[in-house]
Amino acid sequence: AAGVIQSPRHLIKEKRETATLKCYPIPRHDTVYWYQQGPGQDPQFLISFYEKMQSDKGSIPDRFSAQQFSDYHSELNMSSLELGDSALYFCASSLGFGLAGFSYEQYFGPGTRLTVT
Amino acid sequence: DAKTTQPNSMESNEEEPVHLPCNHSTISGTDYIHWYRQLPSQGPEYVIHGLTSNVNNRMASLAIAEDRKSSTLILHRATLRDAAVYYCIRGQAGTALIFGKGTTLSVSS
């Protein structure tokens, strides 16, 4: 079965640079969530989208922005990178309360490991 | 604020049942109880969820207390592949997952 795809899988950036992470949800899934997991930490919710609109916001820094496109893929844009942004970034997808049905489960991708030097 | 409390770690032997407890004493009437697990170097994986009644699926069982202030995830026969961090999360359907400090399960052969 198709899973959530994230690219790139690994990314190395220097301080003050920008980075763009991409997420391709499971086909037919209309909801995307972004989570950040620092070293030795538990995942933290950043932001979510349903049907291309922001649906919820967590502890996402102002330096970060995200959007969901017409094909439901999502991008997380990170600017003025700091050393503390080094983390695993997970994207998850699910079916929202749409006509296609609803899923309680969130399906996570393999993550993008961002290293800021 | 994760709003659930779990033991930091638990140990089990292969092929034995494992009972992972979770306290959520301030749970609201519309909150579901979700369990996810995270294997090393992987993204979290859905295990099971429930609202009021006990639930079973191919991976595990979820026993929910009558007052809903606690629940227990039951792995019927632990395998080495079940070694992971298990997260108990309360929240409404279709909302973001707020992870707390899960339980690290170790399984010995």
Side-chain angles (χ1 to χ4, degrees), chain A residues 33 35 37 40-45 48 56 88 90 97 102-110, chain B residues 32 34 36 38 41-46 49 85 87 93-102:
Chain A
Y33 303 83
Y35 296 87
Q37 186 171 27
Q41 303 293 312
D42 304 297
Q44 266 204 313
F45 168 65
S48 63
D56 199 1
L88 263 171
F90 291 107
F97 289 97
F102 172 74
S103 68
Y104 291 90
E105 311 95 281
Q106 292 186 22
Y107 296 85
F108 283 76
Chain B
Y32 283 79
H34 309 264
Y36 282 76
Q38 187 172 24
S41 303
Q42 294 188 26
E45 174 188 31
Y46 167 82
H49 77 277
V85 179
Y87 294 99
T95 62
L97 300 171
I98 306 303
F99 290 83
K101 299 292 179 188

Side-chain angles (χ1 to χ4, degrees), chain B residues 15-99:
Chain B
E15 301 192 7
E16 289 185 356
V18 181
H19 290 235
L20 298 166
C22 179
N23 286 321
H24 29 78
S25 57
T26 59
I27 194 168
S28 74
T30 54
D31 278 351
Y32 283 79
I33 300 150
H34 309 264
W35 282 83
Y36 282 76
R37 71 180 185 181
Q38 187 172 24
L39 279 64
S41 303
Q42 294 188 26
E45 174 188 31
Y46 167 82
V47 177
I48 201 166
H49 77 277
L51 185 61
T52 56
S53 305
N54 294 344
V55 185
N56 300 297
N57 67 20
R58 64 175 180 81
M59 288 182 71
S61 296
L62 177 60
I64 302 172
E66 203 167 326
D67 63 6
R68 298 206 334 120
K69 292 185 177 182
S70 66
S71 61
T72 302
L73 177 70
I74 303 164
L75 305 180
H76 295 286
R77 290 182 66 189
T79 69
L80 295 178
R81 290 166 51 186
D82 291 323
V85 179
Y86 285 79
Y87 294 99
C88 168
I89 301 167
R90 50 167 273 206
Q92 308 218 344
T95 62
L97 300 171
I98 306 303
F99 290 83

